[in-house]
Every structure is written in C-alpha cells, then in structure tokens.
C-alpha cells in the first residue's frame, strides 16, 4: 500500500494570523506531498520494506536508504505536525500539565527550553517534546527530517509535541526571524491532541 498525503484537519487559513494561508498551502500540498511521493519511490526500491508501517520503517531506519530516511521522516513529522496544531491555542491541563510541571517546573520553562532548542538547531530540523522510556518528558531537537523514533537518534522517545524549524515553515511571514516564529507558534498548539499523545505513553 502506497503512502498517501493525509488531509489537513482544518482549512489552510485556520491558523492565521500565526501561520499564513500561503505557507500552509505550500507546506502541506507541495512539501509534504513531495515527501510522500519520494518515500513511495524509495520504498519501491527496497523490497525489505514492503508492507511495513511507517513506524516500523523508522524503527529500522539505520539500514534504509537516504531517500527513505529523509522522506519517511518527512512524511511522519508533517503528519504529526498538522495534528498537534489547530486554531485556538491555550495551555496544557490535567495530567499533561502535571507531567510538564514535574519535568520542567512550569509551562513557561518548557516553552523557554523548547524555543531555545528550536533556535539552536543549526540549519533545518525539528524541535520536540518527547516522553522517554520512563515516561518522563524532555526537550530535544533533530536535524533534517530525522525524529526521535529513529533507531539511531541520539535521544530517543515518543514525540508528544513538535515544531518544524525548516525555513519553509515560516520564511514567507517571519523571514529570517525564527525566534519570533517559535514564540508565536504556541498560539496554534492543539493541546487536546498533545494530551492524547501523552496519555497514550502514560498508559503504557
Ligand atoms: Mn516542513
């Protein structure tokens, strides 16, 4: 079964003014579509990947081609990214809020650490809030389209929240001002979805 582009769970203009409709349109319909297409190409070139889920592919990515790594990561990361955003914003609550307070002291400290990691990721990449094997939350970043699910990631864990710091995610509106994008981005986090990711890990 070929991988396919998942529809956005909201309109291209739903995250305005934080993320403009043109950026969302290009990011989803062009960039993400290209990762999907090239992933299918890469999987077609490697019979050992036939029938594997994307998560299974990422768990063995150290044995895969560069094409599968970059585009498999790109497909997973963007599919995750669309889901953990939405109009509204707000703040974490309940057990997720408790876990954030326990790991970082407060939501504000988490935001500061996350933004700092995003600014500090040289070139293109992603910044993540992950749950480690013990369920504890931590902030990490990855280059290119790598992610913490890859078997050779230096810091492994289950993503709870993640932000795309490739220039294509913010350049049209924020130009080179990555810190401004990172600061504004919290306005479009879908905390209900983030809490779902956390609850799934906490239940293990
Ligand atoms: Mn992107």
């Amino acid at each position: 079964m070929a991988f396919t582009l998942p529809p956005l769970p909201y309109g291209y203009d739903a995250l305005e003014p934080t993320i403009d409709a043109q950026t969302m349109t290009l990011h989803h319909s062009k960039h993400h579509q290209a990762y999907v297409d090239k992933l299918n190409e890469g999987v077609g070139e490697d019979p050992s990947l036939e029938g594997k889920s994307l998560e299974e592919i990422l768990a063995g990515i150290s044995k895969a081609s560069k094409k599968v790594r970059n585009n498999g990561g790109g497909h997973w990361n963007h599919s995750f990214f669309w889901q953990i955003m939405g109009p509204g914003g707000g703040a974490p609550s309940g057990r997720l809020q408790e876990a954030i307070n326990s790991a970082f002291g407060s939501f504000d400290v988490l935001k500061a650490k996350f933004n700092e990691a995003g600014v500090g990721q040289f070139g293109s990449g992603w910044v993540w809030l992950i749950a480690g094997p013990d369920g504890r939350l931590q902030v990490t970043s990855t280059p290119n389209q790598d992610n913490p699910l890859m078997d050779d990631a230096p810091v492994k864990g289950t993503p709870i929240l993640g932000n795309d710091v490739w220039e294509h995610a913010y350049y049209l509106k924020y130009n080179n001002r990555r810190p401004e994008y990172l600061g504004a981005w919290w306005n479009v986090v879908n905390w209900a979805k983030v809490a779902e990711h956390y609850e799934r890990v906490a239940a293990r």
Side-chain angles (χ1 to χ4, degrees), residues 38-56:
K38 293 200 186 93
L39 171 62
N40 285 326
E41 236 177 71
V43 167
E45 291 159 5
D46 183 348
S48 77
L49 299 178
E50 203 183 295
K52 283 195 174 167
S53 72
L54 184 51
E55 285 75 13
E56 287 168 337

Side-chain angles (χ1 to χ4, degrees), residues 19-60:
I19 306 182
D20 57 287
Q22 190 186 6
T23 295
M24 287 299 293
T25 305
L26 292 169
H27 202 174
H28 177 261
S29 72
K30 303 292 183 195
H31 290 278
H32 190 172
Q33 181 69 61
Y35 296 124
V36 170
D37 293 344
K38 293 200 186 93
L39 171 62
N40 285 326
E41 236 177 71
V43 167
E45 291 159 5
D46 183 348
S48 77
L49 299 178
E50 203 183 295
K52 283 195 174 167
S53 72
L54 184 51
E55 285 75 13
E56 287 168 337
I57 291 174
L58 297 179

Side-chain angles (χ1 to χ4, degrees), residues 65-83:
S65 67
K66 195 88 185 157
K67 188 192 271 186
V68 169
R69 180 187 196 96
N70 289 338
N71 296 289
H75 179 36
W76 194 94
N77 295 349
H78 288 85
S79 302
F80 178 81
F81 187 52
W82 310 133
Q83 293 291 328

Side-chain angles (χ1 to χ4, degrees), residues 27 78 126 145 164 166 168:
H27 202 174
H78 288 85
W126 288 76
Q145 294 295 354
D164 186 345
W166 283 58
H168 68 225

